[in-house]
Amino acid sequence: MANCFKRMVTAVGVATGLTLGLWAGTKLMKETKVRDIKPYFKQRSPYIFAHRGGMGLAPEHTRIAFDKASEFDVEGFEIDIRLTKDEEIVVFHDAYVDRTSNGAGKVSNLTLDDLKDLDFGYHFTDVEGNHPYRGHDKAKIVTLRELIEEYPGKLINIDIKDDPDTYSGSLIPSLLYRLITELGAEDRVLVTSFHDSQIKQFNLYAEDTVALGAGVDQVSRAYFLHRAGFGHMYEPAADTFQIPTEYNGIRLDTRRFIEHLTSLNIAVGYWNINKMDKMDELIQKGAHTIVTDYPDISYHLLKNRY
């Protein structure tokens, strides 16, 4: 029994020594890479972004929402984009229009004119259960071109929703880059997606001239290298991580993780944060960006405390 225990302790010691040796070796041989800070991130933080324009206060992704969020001094909007049948980029989250409008069908099967006929305030309900924006002239689809042009003082966080394996998804990275450069909006927009391949495809055109977010694969790699003590092995390919505070029971909002990413010049953002106390906690830990459905709550926090 004693000999078994002795062998076990020896094995653990050898494994620990090998791990420490590997860590020390990689630390000496691997130079930590730090991202250059893009103009998009050179304003004073924290940034407050209205999620889909502030979907808790008004119909998501409509001018009503963007106007209302602007009243609360947000730095910008967190939006989603999809491609229409006639290859127009619209500001929209779902693959189908059914949930948010009085219409039905897939965005990629509808033209921009088809979408303009729909009422995107139809299903929105206020706290009293009323539908205050049904038939409102600003409860209409918004194109990305219109959003960039009509809100020149706002930063725009763009999430590509179309799957790369679809026809729309295969086109949208190049069309998006073309639109951004045409409007001279390179320093005002950030492009991200849950699909890492969409970010990579967009950056083939942008060549790192536009701020980039991180997809699921990149966030996972950074987190697990950090937890294993090999954070110095992570080579950042994104300018920001926009992540939930936890995923499948894993805390992503620890001060150490935030500090690690910040040391690489990666701006750390969290969504969707709708409680004032949580917003405050994250800002105190060093979070750069708060994405919220309720920009009125963040406005009062920043005004009263910061």
Side-chain angles (χ1 to χ4, degrees):
M1 183 80 165
N3 287 334
C4 288
F5 180 72
K6 195 174 186 178
R7 284 197 300 271
M8 184 174 72
V9 170
T10 301
V12 170
V14 170
T16 302
L18 288 172
T19 301
L20 288 173
L22 179 61
W23 179 87
T26 58
K27 198 72 168 162
L28 287 170
M29 296 173 61
K30 185 75 175 175
E31 183 180 345
T32 302
K33 291 191 176 181
V34 177
R35 294 286 287 183
D36 292 331
I37 300 175
K38 300 257 190 344
Y40 183 93
F41 291 104
K42 290 188 176 179
Q43 296 182 31
R44 184 179 178 181
S45 63
Y47 284 8
I48 303 296
F49 283 172
H51 180 231
R52 303 185 201 172
M55 60 183 288
L57 303 180
E60 64 189 71
H61 286 146
T62 65
R63 286 180 177 84
I64 306 169
F66 298 127
D67 287 349
K68 193 172 286 290
S70 297
E71 295 173 7
F72 294 109
D73 295 337
V74 296
E75 277 67 35
F77 311 126
E78 189 280 341
I79 65 158
D80 308 286
I81 59 168
R82 288 189 178 273
L83 201 63
T84 65
K85 183 179 180 180
D86 49 348
E87 298 179 6
E88 293 284 347
I89 301 175
V90 291
V91 180
F92 201 73
H93 179 273
D94 296 5
Y96 292 83
V97 300
D98 304 46
R99 179 180 64 85
T100 56
S101 80
N102 59 341
K106 203 170 186 179
V107 175
S108 59
N109 291 335
L110 299 170
T111 66
L112 180 57
D113 284 342
D114 293 333
L115 292 167
K116 283 183 174 180
D117 286 337
L118 301 179
D119 178 1
F120 288 94
Y122 190 81
H123 290 297
F124 180 84
T125 56
D126 60 20
V127 292
E128 297 176 348
N130 300 317
H131 297 86
Y133 299 115
R134 277 188 179 176
H136 197 290
D137 60 355
K138 287 191 173 183
K140 294 293 183 180
I141 197 77
V142 178
T143 66
L144 181 58
R145 176 186 294 275
E146 290 168 337
L147 186 68
I148 293 172
E149 290 181 335
E150 293 176 22
Y151 299 88
K154 299 301 180 188
L155 299 172
I156 302 176
N157 184 125
I158 301 168
D159 189 338
I160 300 173
K161 284 299 177 191
D162 286 312
D163 190 298
D165 294 330
T166 64
Y167 177 73
S168 297
S170 68
L171 290 180
I172 201 164
S174 61
L175 294 176
L176 174 59
Y177 175 68
R178 201 177 307 166
L179 177 62
I180 290 169
T181 53
E182 178 191 336
L183 298 177
E186 292 93 335
D187 294 345
R188 285 184 51 214
V189 303
L190 178 145
V191 174
T192 190
S193 178
F194 282 100
H195 306 287
D196 289 72
S197 60
Q198 289 292 57
I199 302 170
K200 291 175 183 176
Q201 187 64 33
F202 172 81
N203 202 38
L204 286 177
Y205 303 103
E207 297 182 327
D208 223 26
T209 58
V210 176
L212 301 173
V216 173
D217 293 345
Q218 191 175 164
V219 171
S220 299
R221 175 173 170 75
Y223 177 78
F224 287 111
L225 281 172
H226 165 70
R227 280 302 301 267
F230 289 88
H232 58 283
M233 295 290 292
Y234 173 64
E235 296 187 8
D239 302 291
T240 185
F241 279 21
Q242 294 190 351
I243 49 182
T245 55
E246 67 91 24
Y247 181 75
N248 284 345
I250 299 172
R251 300 302 313 180
L252 299 176
D253 62 348
T254 64
R255 188 180 295 272
R256 284 189 61 208
F257 189 46
I258 293 172
E259 289 175 350
H260 168 62
L261 294 175
T262 302
S263 73
L264 301 175
N265 286 341
I266 297 173
V268 189
Y270 290 96
W271 50 264
N272 292 320
I273 312 302
N274 294 327
K275 300 290 186 183
M276 186 179 291
D277 288 348
K278 191 62 180 178
M279 292 178 187
D280 192 25
E281 175 195 327
L282 291 169
I283 292 170
Q284 291 294 320
K285 286 180 176 179
H288 177 280
T289 304
I290 301 295
V291 180
T292 182
D293 296 326
Y294 295 94
D296 55 334
I297 295 176
S298 58
Y299 174 80
H300 290 297
L301 170 65
L302 296 181
K303 183 179 180 181
N304 294 332
R305 176 152 189 177
Y306 296 94

